[in-house]
Amino acid sequence: MTDPDTTTISNVGATNVHVHVAPQDTGLAVASLVLGVFAICTVWIPFVGLIAWILAPLGLILGLVALKRPAGPGRGVAIAGIVCSAIGLLGCIGWIVLIGAVATVGVA
Protein backbone atom coordinates (compact mmCIF):
# COMPACT_ATOMS: atom_id res chain seq x y z
CA MET A 1 0.00 0.00 0.00
CA THR A 2 1.40 3.41 -0.91
CA ASP A 3 0.98 6.70 0.88
CA PRO A 4 -0.80 9.28 -1.36
CA ASP A 5 1.38 12.11 0.02
CA THR A 6 4.63 10.48 -1.08
CA THR A 7 5.88 10.71 -4.63
CA THR A 8 8.72 8.60 -5.94
CA ILE A 9 10.48 9.68 -9.09
CA SER A 10 12.96 7.39 -10.73
CA ASN A 11 15.54 9.14 -12.89
CA VAL A 12 17.99 6.67 -14.29
CA GLY A 13 21.26 8.30 -15.22
CA ALA A 14 20.29 11.71 -13.81
CA THR A 15 22.80 13.84 -11.95
CA ASN A 16 21.87 15.70 -8.79
CA VAL A 17 22.77 19.37 -8.86
CA HIS A 18 22.92 21.36 -5.66
CA VAL A 19 22.57 25.09 -6.04
CA HIS A 20 23.51 27.40 -3.19
CA VAL A 21 21.23 30.43 -3.08
CA ALA A 22 22.44 33.35 -1.01
CA PRO A 23 19.88 34.71 1.44
CA GLN A 24 18.23 37.93 0.33
CA ASP A 25 19.28 40.28 3.09
CA THR A 26 17.72 43.59 2.06
CA GLY A 27 16.59 44.73 5.50
CA LEU A 28 19.10 47.57 5.86
CA ALA A 29 18.41 48.82 2.34
CA VAL A 30 14.65 48.84 2.87
CA ALA A 31 15.05 50.56 6.25
CA SER A 32 17.22 53.21 4.59
CA LEU A 33 14.61 53.83 1.92
CA VAL A 34 11.77 54.05 4.41
CA LEU A 35 13.68 56.46 6.64
CA GLY A 36 14.69 58.58 3.65
CA VAL A 37 11.15 58.86 2.32
CA PHE A 38 9.85 59.62 5.79
CA ALA A 39 12.52 62.33 6.20
CA ILE A 40 11.49 63.92 2.90
CA CYS A 41 7.84 63.90 3.94
CA THR A 42 8.45 65.40 7.39
CA VAL A 43 11.19 67.94 6.66
CA TRP A 44 8.75 70.43 5.12
CA ILE A 45 6.43 70.54 8.13
CA PRO A 46 7.46 73.19 10.67
CA PHE A 47 8.47 71.78 14.09
CA VAL A 48 7.56 68.23 13.00
CA GLY A 49 10.49 68.49 10.58
CA LEU A 50 12.87 68.23 13.51
CA ILE A 51 12.27 64.48 13.28
CA ALA A 52 13.98 64.57 9.89
CA TRP A 53 17.24 65.56 11.63
CA ILE A 54 17.23 62.07 13.13
CA LEU A 55 15.73 60.11 10.25
CA ALA A 56 17.84 61.45 7.38
CA PRO A 57 21.32 60.77 8.82
CA LEU A 58 20.20 57.38 10.13
CA GLY A 59 18.81 56.45 6.71
CA LEU A 60 22.00 57.66 5.07
CA ILE A 61 24.16 55.53 7.36
CA LEU A 62 21.99 52.43 6.89
CA GLY A 63 22.05 52.91 3.11
CA LEU A 64 25.82 53.21 3.04
CA VAL A 65 26.21 50.09 5.20
CA ALA A 66 23.81 48.18 2.92
CA LEU A 67 25.73 49.39 -0.14
CA LYS A 68 29.05 48.12 1.29
CA ARG A 69 27.70 44.57 1.40
CA PRO A 70 28.34 42.27 -1.56
CA ALA A 71 26.25 42.91 -4.65
CA GLY A 72 22.78 41.54 -4.25
CA PRO A 73 19.15 42.28 -4.79
CA GLY A 74 19.12 45.20 -2.34
CA ARG A 75 21.73 47.33 -4.09
CA GLY A 76 19.24 49.49 -5.99
CA VAL A 77 17.07 49.92 -2.92
CA ALA A 78 20.14 50.98 -0.93
CA ILE A 79 21.02 53.60 -3.55
CA ALA A 80 17.45 54.90 -3.52
CA GLY A 81 17.59 55.07 0.28
CA ILE A 82 20.84 57.03 0.16
CA VAL A 83 19.40 59.50 -2.36
CA CYS A 84 16.16 60.00 -0.39
CA SER A 85 18.05 60.41 2.87
CA ALA A 86 20.42 62.92 1.26
CA ILE A 87 17.45 64.93 -0.06
CA GLY A 88 15.92 64.91 3.42
CA LEU A 89 19.22 66.04 4.93
CA LEU A 90 19.54 68.82 2.35
CA GLY A 91 16.02 69.93 3.30
CA CYS A 92 17.08 70.10 6.95
CA ILE A 93 20.13 72.16 6.05
CA GLY A 94 17.93 74.36 3.86
CA TRP A 95 15.74 75.16 6.86
CA ILE A 96 18.77 76.23 8.88
CA VAL A 97 20.00 78.45 6.04
CA LEU A 98 16.53 79.97 5.63
CA ILE A 99 16.14 80.66 9.34
CA GLY A 100 19.64 82.14 9.47
CA ALA A 101 18.93 84.38 6.47
CA VAL A 102 15.67 85.62 7.97
CA ALA A 103 17.34 86.23 11.33
CA THR A 104 20.14 88.32 9.81
CA VAL A 105 17.79 90.41 7.66
CA GLY A 106 15.62 91.22 10.67
CA VAL A 107 18.62 92.58 12.62
CA ALA A 108 19.21 95.60 10.30
Side-chain angles (χ1 to χ4, degrees):
M1 189 155 192
T2 61
D3 188 12
D5 295 330
T6 311
T7 305
T8 304
I9 299 174
S10 175
N11 291 333
V12 178
T15 304
N16 291 334
V17 178
H18 298 283
V19 179
H20 175 69
V21 179
Q24 295 183 358
D25 187 20
T26 58
L28 289 176
V30 171
S32 170
L33 181 61
V34 169
L35 290 174
V37 169
F38 215 61
I40 289 173
C41 292
T42 60
V43 74
W44 310 115
I45 305 170
F47 301 110
V48 177
L50 294 174
I51 296 172
W53 277 104
I54 299 168
L55 300 178
L58 189 60
L60 192 62
I61 291 169
L62 289 178
L64 290 172
V65 169
L67 199 60
K68 290 282 187 183
R69 292 188 172 188
R75 186 167 176 81
V77 179
I79 293 171
I82 291 170
V83 170
C84 290
S85 297
I87 290 170
L89 195 57
L90 286 175
C92 292
I93 294 169
W95 270 110
I96 296 299
V97 170
L98 180 68
I99 291 170
V102 169
T104 57
V105 170
V107 171

